Amino acid sequence: MLKKIAVGTLEFVGRYTIDMVKAIGLMGEFVGDTMKWLSRKPLRMGAAVDQMVEVGANSFPVVFFTAMFTGMVLALQSHTGFKRFGAESMVGTVVGLSMTRELGPVLTALVVTGRAGSAMTAQLGTMRVTEQIDALYTLAANPIKYLVVPRVIAGTLMLPVLTVMADFVGILGGFVVAVMLLGANPVLYMEKTFEFMEYNDMFSGLLKSMVFGFIISVVGCYQGFYTEGGAEGVGTATTKSVVMGFMLIFLANYILTALLFSNGGGGAKF
Amino acid sequence: MIFCENLYKAFGDNHVLQGVDLHIKRGESMVIIGGSGTGKSVLIKHIIGLLSPDAGRVTVDGQVVGDLHEDELNEMRKKFGMLFQGAALFDSLTVGGNVGFALKEHTDLAQSKIDERVKECLEMVGMKDVERLMPAELSGGMKKRVGLARAIAMNPQIILFDEPTTGLDPVMADVINDLIIKTTRALKVTSVTITHDMVSANRIADRIAMLYQGKIVAIGTPDEVMFNQTNPAVREFVEIGRIIRQTEAVQGRHIGAQ
Ligand SMILES: Nc1ncnc2c1ncn2[C@@H]1O[C@H](COP(=O)(O)OP(=O)(O)OP(=O)(O)O)[C@@H](O)[C@H]1O
Ligand SMILES: [Mg+2]
């Protein structure tokens, strides 16, 4: 009995590991192919611009909403905490730094994964199961070049744009709550927001968001590209794409933060 | 010019091709018949290199498809036109964009010339003024015909048709049969057509091959396949074809000779 469970578990772990390694290999190949086509001229910039518009339009309202309320709740929370030791004047600083360094990039990335990343998976997945990707091959057109590269360019470039907007909207949300509800002085609040902010905060936030944008679009395309099993498969692939996107974003976020922010922005200590 | 030698292909435990040998000659119209799910579509996807065999090989004009590099494979594919069973039109492009896709990507033709060619190809499949429509606005049979127009747009030397007349009314099916006959006979195009439609098979085939349980079990001229078979699976499958041929013989008509 015990032996059976042990063997069964081992077998499961073994098969799972093999599948995992295979998936990583396939993904590596996919990223390699994408990089190869990214470096080949001519890039299809027209298609990339179309995709940027789509990513932006898909995600803008939700990013706006998310950033707004996050900034607002940050102001409320930090005010409650800071009042205990008389540091209410620092609310603006906390909101500003949290938004630019961490919450702006990460929340935007999560929202875009849910909106645009999943849309990429659904589009490419549908094209896969209806043989449109095969049709591209038969027309001597490489689907990585035609479908994946424009989306990856769009994701990588659009995410910083959306992140800047999220930073701004979040700070604005915090400002509104602090001034209207908590009675902060508007001028002082704004001063405090930017007093301790360094270029590096903004810059590294944007660098992070570019990496996130790359991850989101590559994962979104990868899951779509290898979709199997008809319309149902497209649904499964979309879910997988979001889950995988989230996990990789959190992982990359930690690594990048450790690299970019430790020792006041210079060093690389984990 | 196309050789399939001892092809094996399995998807998991589903052994689809189990030693397919098939030689398609230059300029002939080869029709492949066989029951649903026997692997006809899988077979033609091997010819154009969309699937690679577990064992065996496909040769096109002396080149082994599996050995080609990406660029060579693309050059080889430019000789082909392919109609997919489900048409596989790009839903993000208009009908005109679909038909003109390869012209736009692989030639230096001006847009006006491309438009002309697109119009011509659409007329050949009996369609007019549909360039601006999106694939989602078309019926199944219309999609099929647009897929056909896309397949012939580049004047390919080899055309692969996966069930070109399925889902078409008999009149339109005849238009498509004529188109296939015309392109193969007049332009010396090699064609490989998958069909369940015995009327169509009768009209367009120079030779017919039947795929059954992973192998080609019968191959020859329509008469040979329909009359000289001992294999009961083949006899049953071509029953309707035999009746059509006998009727036509009685009426003194020759197949495809108009
Ligand atoms: N990409 C694939 N992955 C897994 N199985 C596949 C794949 N393509 C085809 N098959 C399986 O191979 C078998 C043959 O499929 P195929 O589409 O070639 O049949 P067919 O002869 O064209 O049938 P029909 O006349 O219905 O079109 C089927 O059992 C199908 O499920
Ligand atoms: Mg088929």
Side-chain angles (χ1 to χ4, degrees):
Chain A
M1 173 71 175
L2 215 64
K3 199 178 151 197
K4 209 172 161 191
I5 294 176
V7 170
T9 312
L10 268 179
E11 221 177 77
F12 175 79
V13 171
R15 192 166 307 136
Y16 188 79
T17 312
I18 292 172
D19 284 352
M20 202 60 179
V21 169
K22 270 191 198 154
I24 292 172
L26 196 62
M27 177 113 190
E29 198 182 314
F30 185 80
V31 174
D33 255 12
T34 306
M35 297 308 271
K36 184 183 86 188
W37 284 105
L38 258 171
S39 64
R40 278 200 196 175
K41 300 265 160 356
L43 285 177
R44 294 163 41 82
M45 280 324 276
V49 170
D50 290 348
Q51 288 300 322
M52 284 175 78
V53 172
E54 202 172 319
V55 170
N58 254 336
S59 313
F60 177 85
V62 193
V63 170
F64 190 95
F65 187 87
T66 308
M68 187 76 172
F69 279 92
T70 303
M72 285 163 66
V73 89
L74 263 180
L76 272 183
Q77 289 279 29
S78 47
H79 181 83
T80 318
F82 284 4
K83 209 165 71 179
R84 292 178 194 160
F85 44 91
E88 294 99 316
S89 65
M90 296 304 280
V91 168
T93 317
V94 166
V95 173
L97 287 184
S98 318
M99 283 314 295
T100 51
R101 288 172 60 141
E102 184 63 27
L103 294 173
V106 172
L107 288 178
T108 308
L110 296 181
V111 167
V112 174
T113 307
R115 295 287 302 176
S118 61
M120 288 178 189
T121 307
Q123 284 166 356
L124 264 63
T126 305
M127 292 189 75
R128 166 62 76 189
V129 303
T130 57
E131 299 183 319
Q132 292 177 54
I133 289 184
D134 285 337
L136 274 174
Y137 280 119
T138 65
L139 292 164
N142 186 296
I144 302 278
K145 173 181 164 194
Y146 280 83
L147 304 173
V148 177
V149 166
R151 284 173 172 78
V152 171
I153 293 176
T156 311
L157 295 184
M158 251 343 250
L159 215 68
V161 175
L162 288 165
T163 301
V164 169
M165 187 199 79
D167 292 351
F168 179 77
V169 170
I171 289 172
L172 194 75
F175 175 80
V176 169
V177 165
V179 172
M180 311 265 274
L181 289 181
L182 308 172
N185 177 316
V187 178
L188 200 67
Y189 184 92
M190 271 303 160
E191 251 172 36
K192 286 285 174 199
T193 299
F194 294 107
E195 189 180 333
F196 297 102
M197 201 178 282
E198 294 168 14
Y199 273 122
N200 189 45
D201 295 328
M202 198 72 168
F203 170 75
S204 49
L206 293 185
L207 197 69
K208 264 187 183 178
S209 71
M210 280 184 100
V211 175
F212 295 161
F214 182 81
I215 291 174
I216 292 166
S217 43
V218 166
V219 169
C221 291
Y222 166 81
Q223 292 290 357
F225 201 79
Y226 291 106
T227 298
E228 276 173 5
E232 201 184 311
V234 177
T236 321
T238 310
T239 314
K240 272 203 236 165
S241 151
V242 173
V243 173
M244 189 175 178
F246 276 20
M247 295 205 306
L248 287 178
I249 284 167
F250 287 125
L251 185 70
N253 184 43
Y254 181 78
I255 294 174
L256 285 171
T257 309
L259 286 174
L260 292 167
F261 285 133
S262 54
N263 297 338
K269 255 194 225 149
F270 284 83
Chain B
M1 65 170 333
I2 301 173
F3 288 92
C4 298
E5 293 166 83
N6 208 20
L7 291 185
Y8 281 81
K9 181 72 178 181
F11 298 101
D13 295 333
N14 183 4
H15 296 271
V16 180
L17 305 182
Q18 302 174 46
V20 169
D21 280 300
L22 183 64
H23 171 208
I24 297 155
K25 299 174 196 158
R26 185 179 301 278
E28 83 171 327
S29 168
M30 169 67 81
V31 166
I32 298 175
I33 59 174
S36 192
T38 46
K40 304 179 297 299
S41 298
V42 168
L43 175 59
I44 62 165
K45 283 182 189 166
H46 278 83
I47 295 177
I48 196 166
L50 285 175
L51 290 173
S52 45
D54 299 335
R57 60 178 198 173
V58 177
T59 323
V60 175
D61 284 341
Q63 289 179 303
V64 179
V65 175
D67 294 347
L68 298 179
H69 291 292
E70 195 175 330
D71 294 336
E72 297 167 323
L73 194 56
N74 276 338
E75 284 314 306
M76 183 205 86
R77 282 175 176 155
K78 286 181 191 168
K79 295 179 195 169
F80 281 87
M82 175 158 177
L83 166 68
F84 284 81
Q85 189 168 352
L89 301 182
F90 305 126
D91 356 88
S92 57
L93 299 180
T94 59
V95 166
N98 268 282
V99 178
F101 185 90
L103 291 164
K104 196 162 175 178
E105 294 302 327
H106 303 306
T107 69
D108 298 326
L109 291 180
Q111 189 59 46
S112 60
K113 291 276 177 224
I114 295 179
D115 291 343
E116 250 170 60
R117 175 69 186 154
V118 167
K119 193 162 177 254
E120 195 178 279
C121 291
L122 284 169
E123 269 167 17
M124 277 194 257
V125 297
M127 296 181 88
K128 238 186 144 129
D129 297 326
V130 289
E131 284 92 331
R132 287 169 186 286
L133 297 182
M134 298 307 283
E137 299 172 84
L138 305 178
S139 74
M142 287 164 91
K143 282 185 191 149
K144 203 97 209 208
R145 285 187 281 153
V146 174
L148 260 166
R150 184 175 72 183
I152 59 176
M154 292 281 277
N155 286 320
Q157 301 164 29
I158 308 161
I159 329 189
L160 309 176
F161 294 126
D162 199 341
E163 305 195 5
T165 53
T166 307
L168 302 184
D169 64 71
V171 178
M172 204 35 80
D174 245 13
V175 171
I176 299 304
N177 288 332
D178 281 339
L179 174 76
I180 297 174
I181 293 166
K182 248 188 274 165
T183 40
T184 32
R185 305 266 153 89
L187 305 173
K188 305 234 181 311
V189 169
T190 310
S191 69
V192 183
T193 310
I194 295 174
T195 191
H196 292 290
D197 173 355
M198 281 298 148
V199 180
S200 173
N202 254 317
R203 291 206 41 207
I204 66 178
D206 292 325
R207 289 198 300 156
I208 295 178
M210 174 151 170
L211 187 62
Y212 180 69
Q213 293 182 342
K215 288 198 171 70
I216 300 290
V217 292
I219 183 162
T221 62
D223 278 331
E224 284 166 359
V225 171
M226 299 201 186
F227 297 105
N228 305 341
Q229 294 299 321
T230 47
N231 185 334
V234 180
R235 288 186 67 82
E236 193 181 349
F237 202 90
V238 299
E239 175 98 54
I240 300 287
R242 204 156 49 227
I243 295 167
I244 295 169
R245 276 189 101 73
Q246 279 162 344
T247 320
E248 282 177 345
V250 169
Q251 292 171 344
R253 266 176 58 188
H254 269 297
I255 287 83
Q258 48 269 98

